[in-house]
Amino acid sequence: MGAKWIKAAVIYFLIGVGFGLYMHATIELQWGATHAHINVVGWLTTAAIGLIYSVYPKAGNSALGKAQFWLYNIGLPILLLGMLIIQPAIGAPLILIQICVWGGGIALAFSILLFIVNVYKNVEAPTGV
C-alpha cells in the first residue's frame, strides 16, 4: 500500500502546484487555505503515510491500512471541494458547503484515527534490533 499512497501524493502535489500557479497568474489569492491544505494534507501527509507504510508493509497491507487509504482519499477531495466552494464568488448553497466540509472532514479525521490505531497495532521494531 505504500506505493499507492506515494502515487496518490504526487497527484495531490500536481494539483497543489497547478492550483498555486493559477492563484498566482490570476491574483486570486483568497484560496490560500485551500492551496495550503492541498499541499500539506494532500501532498506531504499522504507522502509521509506512504513512506511509513513502505517501511512497515505489515501495517500498510492490513485491513486497517487499506480502509484508511480509501477513507482518506475519498474524504480529502470532498473536504477540499468544500474549502474551494466556500468562497462567496462561487455562490454555492450553504448546505452543499456544509456537506463537503463536514462529510469530507469527518472522513479524513476518522481515517487519521485508523492510521494511529494501525501504527500502534502493526508497526514493530525489526527482530534483533
Side-chain angles (χ1 to χ4, degrees), residues 84-98:
L84 184 67
I85 65 174
I86 204 167
Q87 295 300 321
I90 301 294
L94 183 59
I95 188 69
L96 179 60
I97 295 167
Q98 290 177 338

Side-chain angles (χ1 to χ4, degrees), residues 37-124:
H37 277 78
I38 294 167
N39 284 306
V40 175
V41 183
W43 160 235
L44 294 175
T45 304
T46 306
I49 293 168
L51 292 174
I52 291 167
Y53 283 165
S54 292
V55 173
Y56 300 98
K58 177 182 173 189
N61 294 323
S62 69
L64 281 172
K66 291 175 183 176
Q68 187 222 348
F69 176 84
W70 289 110
L71 194 55
Y72 191 95
N73 287 292
I74 291 170
L76 181 56
I78 294 170
L79 172 63
L80 295 174
L81 175 64
M83 293 181 74
L84 184 67
I85 65 174
I86 204 167
Q87 295 300 321
I90 301 294
L94 183 59
I95 188 69
L96 179 60
I97 295 167
Q98 290 177 338
I99 288 169
C100 290
V101 172
W102 281 103
I106 289 169
L108 190 69
F110 188 62
S111 169
I112 292 166
L113 290 175
L114 289 179
F115 175 67
I116 293 167
V117 170
N118 194 17
V119 165
Y120 276 92
K121 183 177 179 180
N122 291 306
V123 172
E124 301 167 351

